Amino acid sequence: MKDERLDKMNQEYHEIFIPAELRQRVETGIREAKKDMETERQTTIERKKKPMKKKNNKMITFAKTVGGAAAAALIAITVMANSGASIAHAMAKIPVIGAIAEVVTFREYQDSTNQMYADVKVPEVEVKNEDGTVNQESTNAINQSIQEYTDEIIAQYQADVEAADGQGYQAVDLDYQVITDSDRLFSIRFDKLVVMASGEETVKIYHIDKQTGKMINLSGIFKKGTNFIDPITANIKEQMKEQMAADENVTYWLDSDIPEWDFKSITADTTFYINEEGRLVIVFDEGEVAPMSMGSVEFVIPTEVIQDIVQDGFVQ
């Protein structure tokens, strides 16, 4: 039965009519996008090796992305997914095994006013119950949060354009990616870059606990009543000291001459994600715990630090 369904889906897919010109543009765009993704991957590796150059690499990546082949391919795929009923229907029938949360579509806000530019991608997430039905409460909750977040970014950009009266220089880029899709956790990450005289990086990550179907923050991955803040904070401070001792170009706000700037502690709402190795990663925005020149910074927390207090299924 499964083989028959797959054969039928394959037949329907190949019967879908796509204009030759559009197909060629999409395929060309995808090939170029893959090249851009590989370039960005290599850039990311080098950036992690050289923390002080992180911001500049990010700006270069942004400059390459705006108006590039990757964006063209993405827009073309958006048109395919949202304009053609037969195409959208076929895409919707592709099975997603073992997942109860996924990005089902997205829209894109773009504007170019003189020397000011914005590209804001707004995904829509669908959360499903174990029986495959849509969990409308959780779906509405995460999409409303995403909508409010992206609306605020767009509104700020529009206000800046109006205030500049055509004389400003600004680029706003907001992109997203699903960074965790495990048996227990679904996480979608937003990276925002605002470039004016300099650049500013911020990170926003939304999480859904697949066991409950609910949105969670950092506290949601730990056992109730346990103290996760102190051990994670202590480990981050230890990593900060080790990095500063190993590289004079690395600086964190820790035991500095301006105590009010020093990093004190994480909170229950501190940004985090679980990486591909199943490790907890704590994320700080640019300027939050280090000089702006270091960009956003991340700390991988060893599993042994939290293994007795984290809930099953989140980390390895």
Side-chain angles (χ1 to χ4, degrees):
M1 182 65 70
K2 289 184 179 179
D3 291 339
E4 292 177 1
R5 286 201 301 267
L6 290 174
D7 290 341
K8 189 173 185 298
M9 288 168 59
N10 183 60
Q11 179 181 352
E12 290 178 354
Y13 169 76
H14 287 288
E15 289 175 353
I16 295 171
F17 173 74
I18 301 175
E21 183 180 355
L22 175 58
R23 181 186 293 276
Q24 183 177 1
R25 290 204 307 270
V26 171
E27 291 177 349
T28 300
I30 290 174
R31 286 195 297 270
E32 294 299 322
K34 288 180 178 179
K35 293 180 182 178
D36 288 349
M37 290 171 66
E38 177 61 23
T39 299
E40 184 171 351
R41 186 181 72 84
Q42 294 296 331
T43 301
T44 300
I45 293 173
E46 293 301 320
R47 187 173 62 210
K48 289 181 178 179
K49 292 180 180 178
K50 303 177 181 179
M52 292 302 292
K53 295 184 179 180
K54 180 175 182 181
K55 180 192 286 190
N56 292 334
N57 287 340
K58 183 74 173 181
M59 291 182 190
I60 292 171
T61 301
F62 171 77
K64 289 182 178 179
T65 301
V66 174
L74 199 56
I75 292 171
I77 292 170
T78 305
V79 172
M80 291 176 62
N82 293 290
S83 297
S86 59
I87 295 174
H89 177 67
M91 291 176 68
K93 292 174 65 177
I94 297 174
V96 181
I97 301 173
I100 65 167
E102 58 182 325
V103 175
V104 292
T105 186
F106 73 92
R107 63 181 178 84
E108 191 167 17
Y109 169 85
Q110 288 186 324
D111 179 75
S112 180
T113 303
N114 297 324
Q115 300 299 315
M116 303 185 76
Y117 179 86
D119 185 359
V120 178
K121 298 177 180 67
V122 187
E124 180 180 336
V125 176
E126 186 174 80
V127 183
K128 297 178 181 178
N129 298 311
E130 291 183 3
D131 61 4
T133 59
V134 176
N135 184 326
Q136 205 62 58
E137 180 181 355
S138 296
T139 296
N140 291 343
I142 188 170
N143 286 325
Q144 181 179 346
S145 296
I146 291 173
Q147 187 72 55
E148 291 173 352
Y149 172 62
T150 52
D151 281 351
E152 182 179 346
I153 293 172
I154 294 170
Q156 182 61 59
Y157 166 77
Q158 292 174 338
D160 291 343
V161 170
E162 183 177 355
D165 194 24
Q167 303 302 312
Y169 295 87
Q170 185 184 82
V172 177
D173 181 70
L174 180 74
D175 206 350
Y176 73 89
Q177 61 176 321
V178 175
I179 55 172
T180 306
D181 193 6
S182 65
D183 292 340
R184 184 68 192 266
L185 188 67
F186 174 90
S187 304
I188 181 168
R189 170 175 176 154
F190 291 82
D191 286 275
K192 183 180 74 170
L193 177 64
V194 179
V195 179
M196 291 186 284
S198 61
E200 178 186 0
E201 298 175 68
T202 57
V203 178
K204 181 79 172 178
I205 306 178
Y206 295 93
H207 308 275
I208 294 175
D209 181 350
K210 290 186 176 184
Q211 189 172 95
T212 64
K214 303 292 185 181
M215 290 177 61
I216 60 172
N217 59 5
L218 179 59
S219 65
I221 72 171
F222 293 98
K223 299 174 182 177
K224 289 185 178 181
T226 57
N227 176 14
F228 62 91
I229 290 179
D230 289 344
I232 294 177
T233 297
N235 183 262
I236 290 174
K237 289 182 177 180
E238 181 180 343
Q239 291 191 48
M240 287 178 172
K241 292 176 181 178
E242 290 175 352
Q243 290 182 30
M244 288 190 290
D247 188 344
E248 62 180 9
N249 293 320
V250 175
T251 301
Y252 292 107
W253 307 136
L254 189 67
D255 301 327
S256 70
D257 296 333
I258 310 177
E260 57 268 27
W261 287 10
D262 285 353
F263 167 61
K264 303 295 191 305
S265 174
I266 64 165
T267 70
D269 293 314
T270 292
T271 303
F272 80 98
Y273 68 94
I274 307 299
N275 66 16
E276 294 180 353
E277 289 72 38
R279 304 294 189 267
L280 172 64
V281 182
I282 300 296
V283 183
F284 295 103
D285 286 337
E286 180 180 301
E288 189 175 358
V289 298
M292 301 284 283
S293 57
M294 287 185 61
S296 61
V297 295
E298 302 182 356
F299 296 89
V300 179
I301 307 302
T303 299
E304 55 265 26
V305 173
I306 58 173
Q307 61 185 0
D308 294 332
I309 56 177
V310 70
Q311 293 187 53
D312 292 339
F314 283 113
V315 302
Q316 297 178 9

